[in-house]
Amino acid sequence: MPPDANILRQRKNFDKEENDAATQHRISTLKGLSTTEVVIDGIIYDISDFHHPGGESIELFGGNDATVTYKMIHPYHTSKHLEKMKAVGKVADYQLEYKFDTPFEREIKQEVFKIVRRGREFGTFGWHARCIFYVAFFFTLQYFWVFSGPTVALAIIYGMSQAFIGLNVQHDANHGAASKQPWINELYGLGADFIGGSKWLWMEQHWTHHSYTNHAEKDPDSFGAEPFLLFNDYPLGDNRRTFMHHFQAFFYIFVLAGYWLSSVFNPEIFDLRQRGAQGVGFVMESDYIKSRRKYAIALRLLYIYVNAVSPFYHGDNFLTSLMHVMVMGVSSSLTLAVLFALSHNFENSDRDPTKKFRETGEQVCWFKSQVETSSTYGGFISGCVTGGLNFQVEHHLFPRMSSAWYPYIAPKVREICKKHGVRYAYYPWIWQNWLSMIKYVHAAGTGINWKENPLKGNM
């Protein structure tokens, strides 16, 4: 027995007793949280002095209910792990829409963890090699863009290379899945800023999206394209529906083409408050967020100078240079946004995963909801191009697992879903997923799913 074993055991028991005592004294609400506190399962924890093994990113969630996000990021954790944090109170009448530790969740974890052992879920050698290739490809094209001047062909390829950084590099990193070392995730995560985004704005929105996928009131991605596009299938008569949405399946591609512009010149960069996440209640007032603002602004100005200003030094005239910049932006936009749109917008996707909770008060299995709101297409080759985002089901079940592992766990995930009667959407080819997405977007725009269909005999 280690010489300090008794002392450590006593200290652990003391901390638990201290936490239990603290939760009895302070009763609060979610709005009463400070920016150094988080709520997990109704208990308020002070994270101001907590040394988080995954780095400072935990501070991003200060002032928020982090229950779903915590359980999603830490699939191995039990209640014992929470004893490492200082409990300071509890939230009165705390209620959660989702439930965890269901039979489906337990089996899928058990079987997947046989394939990917704990501690090995991060980026593989192959993943890092692919990452280095995409980074080198990007900076090589950027060199020609800045010093040789753009052409239409270079604009298209350079725009796609930026999208590949978003798909293959920053995505895993900002999920904390690239490496067990936080600094490597931080470094690769800045790839978001080198392609015109922001790692901090991305985390605010994307982690919220992952926690509440397709939740019409809490998933910022589900209404992020409004009022131009409706991805939520709102009831007939909803004031968010307009006549133009009847035709959104025809013009959606033009809306997605503007993604680059809306990202690069977004004023959210000045305060690092992602409006979609803020609109669903995510608090963004922590010192961590405030301290990153100056870096975010500096990186954005650098990006604009390199990518949107430098071409004018080489162009024959203003309009030609502007055209090159816009072609680059459209190329980047479509490569990213078209792939993103496939993930959760398809026929028979669950667009209201918490309906049962609203109607009956019965909690919904979070793992089941992630499967039935997501789709997977293709296989290993598609994964090498999209950074594993073609495996959306697997990614949403295990978002802190490197995408390099998704092709290996996908067959087992499908098998367990079939056993438990959980609907798993798989398309062998990307065009099949795309066609399903077009059909869904058209149905969501016209509201046809809410109309009686005489051809079905259910009038």
Side-chain angles (χ1 to χ4, degrees):
M1 179 182 293
D4 294 333
N6 289 329
I7 297 175
L8 292 172
R9 188 183 299 113
Q10 291 170 7
R11 176 60 184 168
K12 184 176 180 180
N13 290 336
F14 173 77
D15 287 345
K16 186 176 187 305
E17 292 171 4
E18 187 179 47
N19 279 351
D20 290 343
T23 60
Q24 300 301 319
H25 289 96
R26 177 184 168 194
I27 308 297
S28 183
T29 64
L30 290 175
K31 292 185 178 180
L33 297 177
S34 78
T35 56
T36 60
E37 296 174 337
V38 297
V39 169
I40 300 174
D41 285 329
I43 305 299
I44 303 171
Y45 295 93
D46 185 344
I47 60 173
S48 57
D49 297 321
F50 177 59
H51 177 70
H52 183 234
E56 296 178 295
S57 58
I58 186 178
E59 298 175 32
L60 182 82
F61 302 100
N64 292 281
D65 178 4
T67 303
V68 176
T69 310
Y70 169 80
K71 295 186 177 187
M72 171 180 67
I73 298 174
H74 305 94
Y76 301 104
H77 281 199
T78 66
S79 59
K80 293 293 183 183
H81 290 83
L82 293 173
E83 295 175 9
K84 299 177 182 179
M85 295 191 294
K86 182 181 179 181
V88 295
K90 62 182 179 180
V91 174
D93 301 323
Y94 181 79
Q95 199 172 29
L96 190 66
E97 296 170 295
Y98 297 101
K99 61 182 175 181
F100 293 84
D101 198 31
T102 62
F104 174 62
E105 175 187 343
R106 288 195 295 269
E107 182 169 359
I108 208 164
K109 282 183 179 180
Q110 179 182 11
E111 294 303 317
V112 166
F113 294 161
K114 289 178 183 178
I115 301 171
V116 186
R117 298 294 183 180
R118 183 172 185 178
R120 298 186 59 195
E121 67 269 22
F122 302 102
T124 61
F125 175 82
W127 182 90
H128 285 281
R130 189 169 74 240
C131 176
I132 292 171
F133 167 78
Y134 281 118
V135 170
F137 182 56
F138 164 73
F139 279 115
T140 298
L141 293 177
Q142 188 174 85
Y143 174 85
F144 288 112
W145 180 265
V146 174
F147 294 104
S148 300
T151 63
V152 172
L154 178 59
I156 293 173
I157 300 173
Y158 181 44
M160 293 177 66
S161 77
Q162 295 190 37
F164 291 145
I165 293 292
L167 295 168
N168 292 277
V169 181
Q170 73 87 25
H171 190 268
D172 270 34
N174 284 324
H175 270 290
S179 172
K180 194 173 183 178
Q181 301 299 324
W183 70 269
I184 295 179
N185 292 318
E186 288 287 332
L187 180 63
Y188 282 157
L190 289 173
D193 296 83
F194 278 86
I195 63 172
S198 165
K199 77 184 300 303
W200 300 286
L201 289 172
W202 186 92
M203 288 193 293
E204 290 169 350
Q205 176 174 357
H206 200 69
W207 280 117
T208 307
H209 156 67
H210 265 270
S211 299
Y212 303 101
T213 309
N214 279 9
H215 194 302
E217 297 178 357
K218 295 183 179 180
D219 180 2
D221 281 14
S222 70
F223 51 81
E226 295 177 12
F228 305 106
L229 295 176
L230 296 183
F231 286 125
N232 282 323
D233 191 5
Y234 296 115
L236 296 176
D238 191 285
N239 58 14
R240 285 163 289 197
R241 288 187 174 278
T242 66
F243 180 72
M244 74 172 182
H245 292 129
H246 285 73
F247 310 99
Q248 65 179 14
F250 300 98
F251 65 75
Y252 91 99
I253 198 75
F254 298 102
V255 177
L256 298 187
Y259 175 75
W260 180 84
L261 272 177
S262 67
S263 175
V264 173
F265 299 100
N266 194 325
E268 293 172 355
I269 196 68
F270 293 107
D271 59 13
L272 288 187
R273 295 191 186 103
Q274 207 285 324
R275 296 303 186 266
Q278 187 179 45
V280 301
F282 193 94
V283 177
M284 308 170 206
E285 299 297 332
S286 69
D287 290 340
Y288 171 81
I289 293 176
K290 292 177 180 178
S291 69
R292 266 56 182 181
R293 289 172 181 167
K294 56 182 178 291
Y295 303 116
I297 294 171
L299 287 168
R300 180 61 55 82
L301 291 175
L302 175 64
Y303 178 86
I304 291 174
Y305 176 78
V306 169
N307 295 277
V309 175
S310 68
F312 290 91
Y313 296 144
H314 301 281
D316 296 330
N317 57 66
F318 178 84
L319 290 179
T320 300
S321 298
L322 180 63
M323 181 266 292
H324 288 148
V325 173
M326 295 308 298
V327 168
M328 180 269 290
V330 169
S331 174
S332 177
S333 296
L334 293 180
T335 307
L336 279 172
V338 169
L339 293 177
F340 288 162
L342 302 176
S343 304
H344 308 289
N345 307 293
F346 54 91
E347 293 178 294
N348 300 317
S349 63
D350 189 348
R351 299 302 309 189
D352 194 1
T354 58
K355 180 180 179 180
K356 187 175 182 180
F357 176 80
R358 293 198 313 273
E359 295 179 346
T360 67
E362 183 180 348
Q363 292 176 311
V364 177
C365 172
W366 184 85
F367 268 66
K368 178 176 181 291
S369 75
Q370 294 305 297
V371 175
E372 297 189 338
T373 56
S374 307
S375 66
T376 288
Y377 64 85
F380 178 80
I381 295 176
S382 296
C384 290
V385 176
T386 67
L389 293 187
N390 57 310
F391 293 99
Q392 277 294 307
V393 173
E394 291 71 23
H395 176 53
H396 272 255
L397 290 174
F398 301 99
R400 199 164 176 249
M401 177 183 291
S402 171
S403 58
W405 293 105
Y406 295 153
Y408 300 100
I409 70 171
K412 180 60 67 174
V413 170
R414 288 177 217 165
E415 177 187 322
I416 298 171
C417 287
K418 183 177 181 180
K419 175 181 176 181
H420 287 263
V422 176
R423 187 174 64 252
Y424 182 110
Y426 174 68
Y427 302 91
W429 299 94
I430 186 174
W431 68 265
Q432 295 166 325
N433 199 165
W434 176 79
L435 183 60
S436 181
M437 184 270 293
I438 292 293
K439 291 180 178 179
Y440 170 76
V441 168
H442 176 66
T446 59
I448 195 171
N449 291 330
W450 297 89
K451 298 175 182 177
E452 294 180 329
N453 187 349
L455 298 180
K456 293 183 178 180
N458 59 0
M459 294 292 288

